[in-house]
C-alpha cells in the first residue's frame, strides 16, 4: 500500500510538546510530495527543528498553506520565515505575515540556479555565475 494512501484519511496528528519554545519563533516552511496527488505541508521551528504544524493535502497551493499557517499564527508570534519560494506559499505569507521577513532557502536557490545553468557552462559569465552559486552553501549567518 502506498504511503499516501495510508495517510489519506488522517485529519489531525497528535501535537508535539515543545516545552522550551518561546512565543517568538522563526519558521521553516516546506511541502513534500509523497505521491502525485498527496502532499505533506510542514511548518518547522528553526531553533528546535521541531514541527509545529503539518497537514496532508492534495496539492501545495495558496488555500492549503493559508489554512495551515492560520493555526500557527494564532499560537505564536512569528518573527521570520524561510521557504522554497512556492508561489501559493509566497502569496499566503504575504497575506498572513505582510511585515515579517521572508527568506528563500539557500538550498532551493542553489538547486534552481544550477538547473538553469549547465554542468559545463560555455560563456565566461555563466562559468563565473556557477562558481558563485556553488559558494552559497558556505555562507554563514551573522
Amino acid at each position: 500500500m502506498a504511503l499516501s494512501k495510508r495517510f489519506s484519511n488522517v485529519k489531525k496528528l497528535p501535537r508535539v510538546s515543545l516545552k522550551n519554545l518561546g512565543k517568538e519563533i522563526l519558521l521553516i516552511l516546506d511541502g513534500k510530495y509523497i505521491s502525485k496527488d498527496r502532499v505533506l505541508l510542514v511548518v518547522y521551528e528553526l531553533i528546535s527543528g521541531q514541527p509545529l504544524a503539518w497537514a496532508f493535502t492534495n496539492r501545495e497551493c495558496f488555500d492549503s498553506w493559508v489554512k495551515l499557517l492560520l493555526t500557527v499564527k494564532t499560537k505564536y508570534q512569528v518573527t521570520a520565515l524561510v521557504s522554497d519560494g512556492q508561489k501559493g506559499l509566497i502569496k499566503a505569507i504575504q497575506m498572513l505575515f505582510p511585515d515579517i521577513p521572508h527568506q528563500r532557502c539557500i538550498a532551493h536557490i542553489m538547486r534552481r540556479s544550477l538547473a538553469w545553468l549547465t554542468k559545463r557552462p560555455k560563456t565566461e559569465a555563466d562559468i563565473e555565475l556557477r562558481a558563485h552559486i556553488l559558494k552559497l552553501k558556505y555562507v554563514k549567518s551573522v
Side-chain angles (χ1 to χ4, degrees), residues 17 34 115:
S17 175
I34 54 179

Side-chain angles (χ1 to χ4, degrees), residues 53-64:
W54 53 86
F56 291 96
T57 183
N58 293 336
R59 61 190 184 105
E60 188 176 4
C61 64
F62 170 77
D63 292 333
S64 299

Side-chain angles (χ1 to χ4, degrees), residues 22-29 43 52 69 72-82 93 96-97 99-101:
K23 268 295 222 185
E24 294 186 0
I25 58 170
L26 306 165
L27 299 181
I28 298 174
L29 313 166
V43 178
L52 295 181
L69 290 175
V72 173
K73 186 176 181 173
T74 60
K75 295 178 185 170
Y76 300 101
Q77 176 64 42
V78 177
T79 56
L81 303 127
V82 177
I93 289 169
L96 297 173
F97 304 101
D99 300 322
I100 304 298

